[in-house]
Amino acid sequence: MLNCKEAARLVSEGMDRKLGLGERLSLGLHLALCRGCRHFRRQADFLRTACRYHPSGATRPEEK
Amino acid sequence: MPMGHATAEAISPDGGHASQLEAIRSDMLRFALLQLRDKPAAEDAVQEALAAAWEGLGRFDGRGSFKSWVYAILRYKIIDRIRQRSREPIAEIDPGAGFDALFDRRGFWLPEERPADWGDPLQELENAQFWRIFDACLNRLPKGTARVFMMREFLGLETGEICQELGMKANHCWVVLHRARMGLRLCLESDWFESGRGGYVEL
């Protein structure tokens, strides 16, 4: 069973590489049980979206 | 120079060219400055990108926006500068320091450190005050960490490309990206989401 520190790390790595089957299963199990890590995952996703739509960039949310 | 007219046409066929170009230039400068953290280098990158856009105007097919096109060039110019600098050693990143304090001895979030529910954060994207905090948080990340993170999330490079450009091992890259996200979310949570979301409460 993963702890939160490992789960958060896997959430992050999953954004940068394809996780293995074992990793996905153990992360899925942890996330099902842990609200803090679910929040972490949503926050990390939001950071990616925010960077994509940073006002200094070329893309605005209303355009595609 | 006849090119000047052509550039302006490409930006907008219906007028307001100079001010639009100035607005794009100022966005480009902010974009480059966040990533390079060096004003002269950022200004050079923007200048070179605009000059290259100008010269290559004939190749711009007008299908996308002028802005996305000139940003595609700017990305290259920024990566060039990062590549030149990657020969300077990045300060070594202390692998354990910093975030251990958020977890208990078994590696679970301490109750007061558990990531909070940010609700629907997408609405913040329209809020200029939010972006001020966001930029401040980005600037608070250690330089090397921020550089890797922004190559990933602002320039949209794959981890493999980043490692190659910076001469890092893949594993190290992932650790650094994770540390960047941890740092950025912690900063946004404390300085924005859990502090009344900026200006609203000050009224």
Side-chain angles (χ1 to χ4, degrees):
Chain A
M1 172 82 183
L2 295 176
N3 63 29
C4 299
K5 202 168 159 179
E6 295 159 338
R9 167 96 192 260
L10 277 186
V11 163
S12 211
E13 287 199 16
M15 301 173 77
D16 302 316
R17 67 172 173 91
K18 196 164 169 21
L19 299 181
L21 180 60
E23 289 173 320
R24 272 179 288 152
L25 289 175
S26 47
L27 179 59
L29 179 63
H30 182 97
L31 289 175
L33 299 171
C34 177
R35 182 180 299 157
C37 286
R38 285 200 297 278
H39 289 162
F40 177 79
R41 182 176 57 174
R42 287 186 57 200
Q43 294 179 0
D45 285 343
F46 169 69
L47 293 180
R48 173 157 290 176
T49 309
C51 289
R52 185 170 309 153
Y53 296 126
H54 191 278
S56 77
T59 319
R60 302 260 58 79
E62 61 270 20
E63 310 161 0
K64 56 204 146 199
Chain B
M1 223 196 316
M3 284 285 206
H5 182 64
T7 305
E9 288 290 305
I11 299 165
S12 156
D14 24 65
H17 309 141
S19 65
Q20 281 197 40
L21 187 57
E22 192 37 55
I24 290 178
R25 210 192 84 86
S26 124
D27 283 350
M28 288 168 79
L29 194 58
R30 184 174 170 199
F31 186 80
L33 191 57
L34 272 170
Q35 296 178 70
L36 296 169
R37 294 192 184 180
D38 174 341
K39 203 159 183 217
E43 280 169 347
D44 284 353
V46 168
Q47 217 47 52
E48 282 177 23
L50 286 169
W54 202 273
E55 271 171 35
L57 205 59
R59 289 195 302 279
F60 175 57
D61 61 12
R63 254 177 291 174
S65 75
F66 176 79
K67 192 172 182 181
S68 346
W69 182 59
V70 81
Y71 265 76
I73 301 173
L74 178 60
R75 284 191 171 81
Y76 281 107
K77 299 294 174 192
I78 292 174
I79 293 169
D80 274 351
R81 283 190 167 59
I82 292 172
R83 191 182 292 136
Q84 286 160 16
R85 279 196 205 162
S86 69
R87 290 182 207 121
E88 307 163 15
I90 301 180
E92 207 35 64
I93 295 132
D94 185 354
F99 302 113
D100 281 351
L102 304 177
F103 301 97
D104 66 19
R105 254 175 303 169
R106 288 156 52 239
F108 292 89
W109 299 108
L110 289 168
E112 65 277 19
E113 302 292 355
R114 197 174 292 143
D117 184 359
W118 288 358
D120 174 20
L122 292 180
Q123 64 188 21
E124 315 299 343
L125 303 182
E126 302 298 325
N127 186 338
Q129 183 69 22
F130 168 76
W131 288 113
R132 267 197 289 281
I133 303 291
F134 188 88
D135 286 6
C137 287
L138 269 179
N139 283 322
R140 221 178 290 167
L141 292 177
K143 211 170 176 176
T145 307
R147 184 181 302 168
V148 174
F149 179 74
M150 298 187 81
M151 287 173 88
R152 179 83 183 105
E153 305 292 3
F154 273 62
L155 300 178
L157 298 181
E158 293 300 326
T159 323
E161 300 171 300
I162 300 171
C163 298
Q164 201 179 359
E165 293 296 347
L166 300 181
M168 294 166 74
K169 293 222 166 63
N171 199 45
H172 189 201
C173 248
W174 292 323
V175 173
V176 172
L177 286 166
H178 178 51
R179 295 180 59 75
R181 294 188 183 107
M182 290 285 276
L184 202 49
R185 70 146 285 272
L186 194 60
C187 179
L188 285 175
E189 184 152 307
S190 75
D191 288 13
W192 181 259
F193 290 100
E194 306 248 283
S195 67
R197 307 197 178 204
Y200 300 152
V201 288
E202 285 165 27
L203 290 171

